[in-house]
Amino acid sequence: MSEPKAVIITDYLTKTYGDVPAVEAVSMTVMEGEIVGLIGPNGAGKSTLIKMLTTLLPPSSGDALIAGYSILTAPAKVRAHIGYVPQLLSSDGNLTGYENLLMSARLYLVPHHEREERIRSALALMELADAGDRLVQHYSGGMIRRLEIAQAMLHEPAILFLDEPTVGLDPVARHGIWKHMRELRDRVGMTMLMATHQMDEAEALCDRIAILHDGRLQAIGTPGALKADVSPDATLDDVFAAITGSEIAKEGSLRLIQQGRSSAHAHS
Amino acid sequence: MPIPEPKPARAVLSYLTQIQAVADTEIRKLRRDPSELLTRAFQPVVWLLLFGEVMANVRGLNTTGQSYLDFLAPGILAQSVLFSAIFYGISVIWERDLGVLHRQLVSPAPRSALVLGKAVSAGARGVAQAVIVYALALMLGIGLSFRPFDILGVIALIWLGSALFSTFSLMIACLVKTRERFMGIGQVLTMPIFFASNAIYPIELMPHWLQSVSLSNPLTYEVDGIRTLMLQNGLSRYGLPIDFAVLLVLTGLCVAIAAHLYPRLAE
Ligand SMILES: Nc1ncnc2c1ncn2[C@@H]1O[C@H](COP(=O)(O)OP(=O)(O)OP(=O)(O)O)[C@@H](O)[C@H]1O
Ligand SMILES: [Mg+2]
């Protein structure tokens, strides 16, 4: 067995909007093959943190190493090693599923002779084989999410960043996404950092959980360890309440629901 | 599996593939829904049919031996290229709001390839506009040139002009980031660019200060080039090499600036 290595290392990563810190001095490490959950209430800074790690947002201070490359000095190298499923739905509704994947394949320079095969197997893996030639604006929310994951993993990245991958999905679709995430981890050992609001999701998927509140990393550990720290029979909700002093809204905020729904349907 | 490092010989091919990634999706969308092209075709019709026919009766409009309609048609073609390209930024802001753009920005493609992809697709739109204007001009009996070299030259000029104005538009989109502000600026810009050029009258009619403005307006060179190649009796005022050079240099500049600003759209 090879030594487990750290594939995400953040070092006092900070983002300030005006005087308001959205992410403040976050230092954490994610090991290869881990699924780490990022939990926090609305506005905690989850998306901001993920956007910095995916090089979409320059940090105000601090740095991070992704797959060994600095987001400050080698952003293009970082991008080559990661996949990103954003909080907002990002597949193009005016294109078919196949065309969305074709664009990704070209942007990531998937070799020409492998393109068709990879696109086809990505569609099959995400159970979209029959929907590949349909316009994405006619997909259901769950199908769009699966297509986005297919797009994000087409180039077989070492690390996948997912920002609330199951928001707005029904329970069946949610469990479908979970199943696919587990498969990706088990089959290819993909490392994942996933923001979520949902305790059951974090518990079902994550090896470790990082709790973010007001832009600060409040705690990080295995679900078991986090719970044991609070009390012997604590749930993750109790952990969350103990750390942030607030109960996470079970239904999500109105803004979130609207964001979740602003899918490709809004396109045309 | 990380992406293999492209070899120098392969680098160009990779770059072109990434340009194609963006351009091809845009062109597919345009083919799927060409309604925008058709509505845009309305404007040249109005200009040539109404404005052109009336102005043709104005005496003393010295259009160097050409009939006024002949003089006007290339100007209107350039105008339709300008108008469809200058609002290109709005669709990019739209894509940013939807989150579609993030998908491109998080890829390892050089930002300049992403911008050039948009520029190439703007060129395809421009050429589609040109087909409509040519058809209209033919019906009006304008003496068009169909020599292959001339046609190729016009296509190249339209592609360049579209690339120039669309990347200029992208630059603005990256700075203002909202549709409302962009619309405001777009309206303010298009009219001066259009009227302070040789598109609908010879610049000799202008007061001196306006002539200098026109001479620093890229649309003037776009029109001059198209006027030279589109018509049977076309004559260039500034010379085709100058026309092409001005457009090429400015396009390069706009692509560089837009590529530099492009990441701001994801923030
Ligand atoms: N572009 C911006 N300008 C100013 N403030 C911003 C901007 N983007 C985010 N913020 C602020 O930064 C903080 C963190 O936002 P972020 O979107 O990262 O939170 P989040 O944890 O992802 O929340 P949610 O669960 O609602 O998605 C919030 O207070 C938000 O208002
Ligand atoms: Mg968020």
Side-chain angles (χ1 to χ4, degrees), chain A residues 89-90 92 99 106 156, chain B residues 1 24 29 32 98 103:
Chain A
L89 296 178
S90 66
D92 198 323
E99 289 168 337
R106 285 174 172 154
E156 299 173 0
Chain B
M1 189 183 69
D24 180 52
K29 285 191 268 185
R32 200 158 276 149
L98 285 172
R103 162 101 27 234

Side-chain angles (χ1 to χ4, degrees), chain B:
Chain B
M1 189 183 69
I3 296 172
E5 192 76 30
K7 296 198 185 72
R10 279 251 176 106
V12 174
L13 204 63
S14 300
Y15 192 68
L16 292 177
T17 304
Q18 288 165 327
I19 293 175
Q20 186 196 15
V22 176
D24 180 52
T25 55
E26 295 293 315
I27 291 168
R28 277 170 198 261
K29 285 191 268 185
L30 197 62
R31 284 217 312 252
R32 200 158 276 149
D33 181 15
S35 57
E36 194 205 320
L37 283 182
L38 294 176
T39 48
R40 285 210 182 278
F42 188 64
Q43 220 167 23
V45 173
V46 170
W47 276 93
L48 282 174
L49 248 44
L50 304 185
F51 184 81
E53 297 284 2
V54 174
M55 290 297 281
N57 296 325
V58 176
R59 264 168 249 271
L61 206 56
N62 179 8
T63 48
T64 52
Q66 293 157 332
S67 81
Y68 183 69
L69 266 186
D70 283 7
F71 177 87
L72 184 65
I76 295 307
L77 175 50
Q79 178 213 42
S80 73
V81 167
L82 167 70
F83 280 19
S84 83
I86 203 83
F87 288 103
Y88 208 78
I90 213 127
S91 70
V92 175
I93 292 177
W94 182 238
E95 285 184 8
R96 159 211 156 91
D97 293 347
L98 285 172
V100 175
L101 200 69
H102 296 66
R103 162 101 27 234
Q104 296 173 13
L105 283 168
V106 84
S107 83
R111 269 80 272 256
S112 60
L114 301 177
V115 168
L116 276 170
K118 296 285 187 193
V120 168
S121 70
R125 267 162 196 266
V127 171
Q129 302 277 319
V131 172
I132 294 168
V133 175
Y134 262 70
L136 193 64
L138 208 57
M139 285 190 286
L140 292 175
I142 289 166
L144 297 174
S145 163
F146 287 102
R147 286 186 294 263
F149 175 80
D150 290 356
I151 297 275
L152 285 179
V154 171
I155 292 176
L157 281 165
I158 287 170
W159 222 293
L160 260 179
S162 302
L164 170 58
F165 293 119
S166 65
T167 44
F168 179 66
S169 172
L170 272 184
M171 256 165 61
I172 296 170
C174 295
L175 293 173
V176 302
K177 290 187 184 177
T178 71
R179 271 172 265 174
E180 294 74 18
R181 276 181 282 182
F182 185 93
M183 278 314 273
I185 292 182
Q187 312 282 15
V188 168
L189 280 177
T190 37
M191 286 306 153
I193 296 179
F194 177 50
F195 286 111
S197 80
N198 56 350
I200 54 172
Y201 30 64
I203 62 174
E204 288 72 24
L205 293 181
M206 296 176 181
H208 265 289
W209 67 271
L210 195 53
Q211 287 194 22
S212 355
V213 174
S214 295
L215 284 176
S216 44
N217 180 354
L219 189 69
T220 294
Y221 300 90
E222 169 88 3
V223 172
D224 188 63
I226 296 179
R227 200 165 272 152
T228 311
L229 297 170
M230 184 179 177
L231 304 175
Q232 279 163 12
N233 57 350
L235 254 184
S236 178
R237 286 220 46 169
Y238 313 109
L240 282 177
I242 296 280
D243 295 337
F244 273 97
V246 168
L247 294 172
L248 261 174
V249 168
L250 289 179
T251 302
L253 197 66
C254 281
V255 170
I257 297 174
H260 181 72
L261 296 174
Y262 215 41
R264 288 195 189 193
L265 282 176
E267 286 172 19

Side-chain angles (χ1 to χ4, degrees), chain A residues 190-262:
Chain A
M190 205 176 277
T191 308
M192 300 187 201
L193 184 64
M194 168 185 74
T196 182
H197 274 275
Q198 297 153 329
M199 295 301 168
D200 58 337
E201 180 161 284
E203 190 128 40
L205 280 174
C206 300
D207 303 310
R208 285 193 301 148
I209 290 173
I211 298 182
L212 213 58
H213 184 47
D214 287 339
R216 289 186 163 275
L217 183 64
Q218 306 287 349
I220 181 164
T222 62
L226 288 174
K227 286 187 279 194
D229 273 356
V230 175
S231 77
D233 54 354
T235 64
L236 268 186
D237 282 308
D238 299 332
V239 174
F240 192 83
I243 286 174
T244 66
S246 71
E247 188 85 37
I248 200 159
K250 289 258 182 336
E251 304 298 326
S253 69
L254 180 62
R255 182 169 73 87
L256 263 174
I257 291 169
Q258 282 170 340
Q259 284 181 352
R261 299 268 166 81
S262 74

Side-chain angles (χ1 to χ4, degrees), chain A residues 46-47 87 163-164:
Chain A
K46 304 181 295 293
S47 296
Q87 183 166 354
D163 198 345
E164 306 196 21

